[in-house]
Amino acid sequence: MNAADAPLPQEVSLYEVQRKIYPRAVHGWFAAWRWILVWATQIVFYGGPWLQWNGRQAVLFDIAERKFFLFGLVFWPQDVIYLAVLLIVSALSLFLFTTVAGRLWCGYACPQTVYTEIFLWIERAIEGDRNARMRLDRERTGLRKLGLKSAKHAVWLAVALWTGITFVGYFTPIRDLLSTAPGAWESFWALFYGFATYGNAGWMREQVCKYMCPYARFQSAMFDKDTLIITYDAKRGEPRGKGPDRGDCVDCGICVQVCPTGIDIRNGLQYECIGCAACIDGCDRVMEKVGRPKKLIRYSKGRVLRPRVLVYATILGAISAAMAISLYLRVPLKVDVIRDRAAIAREVEGGLIENVYRLQIMNTAEQARAFDINVSGLPGILVWGESITGLPAASSRMVPVRVRAEAAFPPGSHPIQFTVRALGVAGVEVREEAAFIVR
Amino acid sequence: MSEFFSGFWDVYVAVLTVVSIVACAIFLKSQSIQRVSGAAETTGHKWDEDLAEYNNPLPRWWSWLFYITILFSLAYLVLYPGLGSWKGTLGWSQVGQLEEEQELAQKQYGPVYKKFASTEVDALLKLPEALAIGQKLFLNNCAQCHASDGAGSRGFPNLTAGAFQWGRDATTVKATIAEGRTGMMPPFGEALGAEGVKNVAQYVRSLSGLTADSIRVELGKEIFAKTCVACHGAEGKGNAALGAPNLTDKNWLHGSAEAVVIETIAKGRNSQMPAHKHVLDEARIHLLTAYVLSLSK
């Protein structure tokens, strides 16, 4: 372009003032699904800490005691592998769902979406729908406005505080939390989590998805041409407007009004779109009213069964199955063998060689048990002295163990195995490798 | 070295820190607005001749976050040490925090040890919880040499056999742990000659019932009565006051094989039990004493 055409230079701000979005209420097939997921996830979340199991809270992450309780299962820090596998399963599920149907998680089940939906419902119940809210915000501050706004914030804060208390209830038994004065840290986390809920669901809303959430950004990288995304049928819709020579889109703007991120889906796929399908529900109602076929805005059609989906599904299935089998076969007993390092081997009466080990025995069952320690791997090798040790429920103990064998074995290290077995309980047995040194 | 004691580096660091923070603030301000030519929708950057970048501005609250970090750093530098030799208005220091935590731990665990500290060792032997704490202390502090079961190994005494070189009463054991011991067997190789050493070795082995040549035993006995008796006693029963071991029991600190006994007599032995009073406090040594005695009951 030549100099004469060039517009004058101007200053632009690289930061933008947040534009408040007033999403309009929407009803329909996809909105119903979102509400089903809101109910399902929140019944689990708010109800979880109240379940009891064997006289304790069924789901409790006791950080001070370093024990995670999940119904019949008790996880110790040594079980952190399950957490890693759980994260892998979650990540792969996200990959799989995103590849098949785009930002399904974002649109229906993400806590940000779920709490925003709840907070919007409260807002609507108190201040009214989109137009009423916009009018209220333009209104001069008066008794009515103050009353409505403070009522809304009071209800929001109550829900947020209860959410914070419930969250802490997963780490400190919720019944204790409510019956006794909470400690400083419990109070801090309840208030912090509550404040985060209030701030994110009440104030930040789409800002979280647009600017903070990393998943939102990298999910786009998993899209391909077959991924189901929400699209506007421009061929059918354009030119928009009312009249016989126009397309099906009547340009009512409902799809923009219902959008929680404030975009116009008719401009095509945008990074702000969280795939909530509110515009589909909104448009379908309008199409019904004006007597035109539905699905002017719809999920695009794509091939579901394709290599990428199959690969994700296979890996996800394999890892999930492996985790389930491993959990099923898990034994509530852990043993670590630590050889004495300084005292390698000593001669004892009867021409025997003695090695000393420390066995860290962890009874992860919720009952007291007695354990029998046995050793094998060399002919005639045996545990010298008391081989039975009792442990209280969910406790660990370091047990010094002497092992004796003939001095006639060649000098050097010999592989042996310790077997620790719970007395009177079938199948609770752990085998650990160790080395017996003869010199 | 003098520059480390003068105030120069303190000032240098402080100035550098403050200048960096102020520069960040100026940079933030200057970078939030950009002069562009052409339509305002693009950032003005151009690649590959015609590839332009849309201006997708960040929300304004995002820039507040940057300014909050500046305010945070200034507040931090006032409250905490960070600017050269400035100590901070809160008076916080790493050493102070350590001391605070130690005090807290003392408050928390002190009563547990205090309860046992006033109990006699004999009574502690009957308290399983005291012995359980004693075992933990033993595994952490003593098992490296004396082995996890307390039976020691070559050169490190067996605490389970009841043969205590320095005596087995509570006061002595406590002193052994607190002050340490130096065991010294002088070398007799030159004084006795090879034959003499061999004869004494045979005699010493015979004292605890090991096979020995009867002629050498007789010869060794004569030398023993002249040379070794001073420490090990006429009957070879040792002397706890000197730490001279009893030679008539079946406990051999360095080994019972003839060659080993010869080496012990000829070259002597030096053994060291380190003092623990700087590592463990009185109350812990008290519990350890009880645990050590419980090993050989």
Side-chain angles (χ1 to χ4, degrees):
Chain A
M1 85 182 55
N2 58 48
D5 294 340
L8 289 174
Q10 47 185 308
E11 284 195 335
V12 290
S13 172
L14 290 175
Y15 296 97
E16 167 181 72
V17 178
Q18 185 185 348
R19 185 170 51 94
K20 191 166 176 186
I21 294 169
Y22 300 87
R24 185 190 173 109
V26 65
H27 305 280
W29 168 257
F30 297 107
W33 265 110
R34 186 162 35 259
W35 274 108
I36 289 172
L37 277 154
V38 169
W39 279 102
T41 52
Q42 297 317 295
I43 285 172
V44 169
F45 175 73
Y46 290 111
W50 294 97
L51 297 178
Q52 293 291 110
W53 185 275
N54 276 346
R56 59 157 167 84
Q57 189 166 314
V59 183
L60 182 68
F61 308 117
D62 192 335
I63 291 177
E65 285 287 320
R66 279 166 264 151
K67 290 187 183 96
F68 286 9
F69 300 94
L70 204 62
F71 296 94
L73 299 170
V74 184
F75 294 100
W76 286 39
Q78 287 82 355
D79 293 314
V80 74
I81 182 75
Y82 289 111
L83 179 63
V85 176
L86 182 69
L87 291 175
I88 293 171
V89 166
S90 307
L92 280 169
S93 310
L94 185 75
F95 298 170
L96 178 63
F97 289 128
T98 306
T99 306
V100 172
R103 292 172 64 177
L104 265 192
W105 167 255
C106 300
Y108 298 92
C110 173
Q112 180 60 22
T113 297
V114 164
Y115 287 107
T116 301
E117 194 73 45
I118 294 172
F119 274 49
L120 264 174
W121 182 84
I122 295 168
E123 191 168 64
R124 228 171 261 138
I126 293 171
E127 294 183 359
D129 203 6
R130 176 180 159 91
N131 291 332
R133 296 208 299 275
M134 290 168 84
R135 227 178 301 121
L136 185 69
D137 276 0
R138 277 196 302 269
E139 209 173 282
R140 269 204 305 145
T141 308
L143 222 53
R144 194 183 89 88
K145 187 172 178 179
L146 271 178
L148 286 176
K149 289 272 174 191
S150 38
K152 175 182 80 174
H153 286 286
V155 179
W156 276 2
L157 283 168
V159 173
L161 186 64
W162 187 246
T163 308
I165 291 172
T166 303
F167 175 74
V168 174
Y170 279 94
F171 300 90
T172 302
I174 197 161
R175 284 156 212 260
D176 300 354
L177 201 62
L178 295 177
S179 60
T180 57
W185 281 112
E186 277 98 348
S187 312
F188 169 77
W189 283 111
L191 291 176
F192 181 85
Y193 197 85
F195 175 74
T197 306
Y198 169 75
N200 286 335
W203 295 92
M204 300 303 283
R205 292 190 179 165
E206 83 291 344
Q207 300 278 311
V208 174
C209 313
K210 279 166 73 176
Y211 301 113
M212 297 184 201
C213 181
Y215 299 103
R217 294 289 78 78
F218 74 64
Q219 283 186 94
S220 332
M222 291 162 209
F223 284 24
D224 58 24
K225 68 179 173 49
D226 287 314
T227 299
L228 303 184
I229 52 167
I230 292 163
T231 50
Y232 163 67
D233 189 343
K235 257 185 223 157
R236 222 185 95 189
E238 299 297 317
R240 60 186 81 156
K242 294 185 182 96
D245 56 337
R246 301 285 158 151
D248 281 354
C249 175
V250 293
D251 205 9
C252 62
I254 292 285
C255 54
V256 180
Q257 293 176 19
V258 298
C259 181
T261 63
I263 57 168
D264 186 344
I265 194 67
R266 292 171 299 180
N267 295 337
L269 177 64
Q270 290 147 75
Y271 79 91
E272 293 96 335
C273 176
I274 60 168
C276 69
C279 49
I280 301 185
D281 284 336
C283 187
D284 277 355
R285 295 213 136 193
V286 174
M287 288 297 110
E288 215 169 306
K289 268 184 210 151
V290 299
R292 291 187 184 157
K294 286 188 191 178
K295 294 188 174 176
L296 179 60
I297 302 176
R298 59 172 181 267
Y299 273 105
S300 63
K301 273 208 176 65
R303 231 164 15 112
V304 172
L305 289 179
R306 51 190 196 272
R308 190 197 284 231
V309 173
L310 294 177
V311 168
Y312 281 145
T314 312
I315 300 175
L316 180 62
I319 293 181
S320 306
M323 176 148 160
I325 291 170
S326 160
L327 278 175
Y328 178 73
L329 294 178
R330 205 165 151 268
V331 162
L333 166 66
K334 293 176 202 303
V335 177
D336 280 328
V337 179
I338 308 154
R339 264 197 63 87
D340 262 20
R341 289 177 213 180
I344 290 174
R346 58 187 173 225
E347 291 170 39
V348 288
E349 68 264 32
L352 297 175
I353 292 283
E354 186 174 78
N355 280 204
V356 182
Y357 305 82
R358 289 185 205 178
L359 262 58
Q360 179 81 49
I361 300 181
M362 289 164 264
N363 175 21
T364 62
E366 291 184 84
Q367 303 87 34
R369 278 181 181 164
F371 297 97
D372 184 24
I373 303 166
N374 264 299
V375 66
S376 58
L378 282 174
I381 194 165
L382 56 96
V383 171
W384 191 259
E386 187 58 65
S387 74
I388 292 176
T389 185
L391 261 83
S395 65
S396 75
R397 179 177 296 162
M398 187 83 95
V399 184
V401 174
R402 302 176 189 186
V403 173
R404 290 186 175 185
E406 298 278 344
F409 294 111
S413 175
H414 301 270
I416 57 166
Q417 297 84 39
F418 279 98
T419 309
V420 179
R421 192 168 50 84
L423 292 176
V425 194
V428 178
E429 186 179 297
V430 169
R431 211 173 155 83
E432 277 291 317
E433 296 292 322
F436 187 85
I437 293 177
V438 178
R439 63 165 190 200
Chain B
M1 283 297 278
S2 70
E3 67 264 48
F4 289 109
F5 302 106
S6 76
F8 171 75
W9 289 109
D10 287 341
V11 176
Y12 178 79
V13 168
V15 168
L16 220 58
T17 310
V18 172
V19 166
S20 305
I21 292 172
V22 171
C24 281
I26 294 169
F27 187 69
L28 273 176
K29 181 76 191 146
S30 73
Q31 292 304 300
S32 56
I33 279 182
Q34 198 181 27
R35 180 168 280 272
V36 294
S37 58
E41 283 128 40
T42 68
T43 54
H45 303 153
K46 273 204 171 134
W47 295 273
D48 294 347
E49 292 172 7
D50 60 348
L51 199 57
E53 185 187 17
Y54 272 117
N55 180 19
N56 261 331
L58 277 171
R60 175 144 323 264
W61 57 260
W62 195 283
S63 70
W64 297 341
L65 294 181
F66 287 134
Y67 288 112
I68 287 171
T69 61
I70 303 250
L71 290 178
F72 176 87
S73 60
L74 292 176
Y76 177 89
L77 288 172
V78 171
L79 296 173
Y80 289 93
L83 270 187
S85 57
W86 171 250
K87 294 268 181 286
T89 53
L90 288 185
W92 179 91
S93 70
Q94 290 188 332
V95 172
Q97 186 176 343
L98 174 72
E99 279 166 359
E100 226 170 80
E101 284 171 11
Q102 281 176 334
E103 208 172 294
L104 190 72
Q106 190 57 36
K107 214 183 273 173
Q108 213 171 342
Y109 305 116
V112 180
Y113 286 106
K114 210 171 176 180
K115 189 173 76 186
F116 296 124
S118 52
T119 314
E120 288 297 313
V121 170
D122 288 345
L124 287 182
L125 286 171
K126 296 185 190 79
L127 293 178
E129 49 172 333
L131 296 179
I133 298 174
Q135 186 188 31
K136 282 193 177 136
L137 290 169
F138 186 87
L139 289 176
N140 282 334
N141 295 288
C142 318
Q144 287 83 343
C145 296
H146 291 285
S148 297
D149 62 343
S153 68
R154 189 176 291 186
F156 300 106
N158 180 352
L159 305 175
T160 64
F164 280 53
Q165 210 173 317
W166 302 89
R168 202 188 164 271
D169 59 296
T171 324
T172 311
V173 171
K174 200 183 264 188
T176 305
I177 298 171
E179 309 291 338
R181 297 284 182 190
T182 304
M184 214 279 279
M185 159 85 186
F188 287 97
E190 283 183 26
L192 302 180
E195 278 301 301
V197 168
K198 198 165 184 181
N199 294 339
V200 175
Q202 290 285 335
Y203 173 66
V204 167
R205 275 171 56 86
S206 78
L207 284 177
S208 48
L210 295 171
T211 50
D213 177 340
S214 58
I215 301 168
R216 283 189 184 276
V217 166
E218 281 309 312
L219 292 171
K221 191 175 179 178
E222 279 170 35
I223 305 173
F224 190 92
K226 276 183 267 171
T227 314
C228 315
V229 66
C231 297
H232 289 286
E235 290 167 14
K237 298 249 184 216
N239 183 351
L242 298 170
N246 181 351
L247 304 174
T248 63
D249 60 17
K250 292 192 162 42
N251 288 295
W252 295 87
L253 182 54
H254 299 282
S256 63
E258 193 189 353
V260 177
V261 179
I262 287 175
E263 187 183 307
T264 304
I265 298 168
K267 297 184 177 165
R269 295 280 180 190
N270 270 306
S271 342
Q272 178 78 46
M273 158 82 187
H276 281 79
K277 62 182 173 188
H278 308 297
V279 185
L280 301 167
D281 63 13
E282 182 75 32
R284 284 173 174 78
I285 291 177
H286 188 67
L287 279 168
L288 261 178
T289 306
Y291 179 73
V292 166
L293 289 174
S294 79
L295 288 173
S296 58
K297 65 188 164 208

